[in-house]
Amino acid sequence: MKQFFNMFDKSQEIPIGSDHGGFELKQFLIKNLSKEGYLFNDLGTYSEDSVDYPDFIHPVAKSINDGLNIFGIIICGSGQGASMTANKYPNVRAALCWNLEQAELTRLHNNANIISLPGRFLDFKVATEMVKVFLDTDFEKGRHIDRINKIPVSL
Ligand code: RB5
C-alpha cells in the first residue's frame, strides 16, 4: 500500500469534485482558498444542474489512488455518497467531516487523504477552515500506522 507522509505544500494541486449538492461550496472553496495560494484542479461539476455524484468523485479518488496528488476534496449534499464512492479505491482514505475537530483528527489518526464535505449542512466559512486544517495537519504515525494498515480487505 502506498503511504504518503507529510508531503503537502501549496505548490501541489488539489483535485476537487462535487455534484450539484456540493457545487456552491466547491465554488466558494476554490474562490477563497485560491486567494491564499492553494492550487485546485476543478474536476466538476460545473453548474447546479442535477448530476450523479460518482461521475465527479471517481476522477478525484483515482488521482489520489494513483499517487498523482497527495490530497483531494469531494463534496455532495450529505458527503455520504461522495465518501462511499471514494473509499472503493484501495489507496484512498476518504473522511466525511462536519467540523474542525473531525478534519484535524482524521489527519492525525487516519492519515485521511480525501476530505468529504456535506455541502448542504456546512457553514461555508467553517468548511474553508476545515479544508485548511485538513491540509495542514500531519499524520501522527506511531500506533496509527498499524491501524490504517489493517483497513484494506482481500476477499
Ligand atoms: C443529491 O440530491 C444528493 O443525493 C447527493 O448530493 C448526496 O447527498 C448523496 O449522497
Side-chain angles (χ1 to χ4, degrees):
M1 182 188 213
K2 290 175 195 160
Q3 295 287 356
F4 295 106
F5 295 134
N6 188 22
M7 291 165 62
F8 179 78
D9 66 68
K10 278 187 183 175
S11 70
Q12 292 161 339
E13 205 169 61
I14 303 159
I16 183 168
S18 79
D19 70 354
H20 53 289
F23 174 73
E24 200 183 340
L25 176 56
K26 175 169 69 65
Q27 301 312 106
F28 186 93
L29 291 173
I30 292 171
K31 182 179 171 199
N32 287 284
L33 288 171
S34 294
K35 288 180 195 160
E36 297 188 32
Y38 292 93
L39 299 173
F40 293 98
N41 181 13
D42 184 356
L43 296 169
T45 186
Y46 303 111
S47 79
E48 289 182 353
D49 294 349
S50 183
V51 292
D52 299 331
Y53 57 82
D55 293 338
F56 300 91
I57 304 308
H58 280 301
V60 176
K62 189 169 187 328
S63 75
I64 303 303
N65 187 68
D66 294 349
L68 301 179
N69 302 96
I70 304 297
F71 291 131
I73 302 171
I74 55 176
I75 314 166
C76 64
S78 63
Q80 302 282 9
S83 59
M84 288 177 193
T85 304
N87 278 316
K88 292 297 181 186
Y89 291 78
N91 296 321
V92 164
R93 286 174 303 283
L96 172 55
C97 296
W98 57 93
N99 62 30
L100 275 172
E101 292 80 3
Q102 290 285 339
E104 182 180 30
L105 263 180
T106 197
R107 286 288 309 126
L108 287 170
H109 289 189
N110 313 121
N111 199 20
N113 48 18
I114 293 183
I115 185 168
S116 177
L117 298 170
R120 290 183 175 144
F121 295 89
L122 284 178
D123 176 276
F124 285 9
K125 286 189 177 165
V126 172
T128 306
E129 292 308 307
M130 287 167 60
V131 167
K132 287 167 69 173
V133 163
F134 183 85
L135 296 173
D136 294 343
T137 302
D138 295 337
F139 180 42
E140 212 171 77
K141 302 179 192 168
R143 66 191 185 280
H144 300 294
I145 293 176
D146 290 343
R147 292 171 184 174
I148 64 171
N149 282 336
K150 288 184 179 182
I151 294 174
V153 289
S154 49
L155 300 174

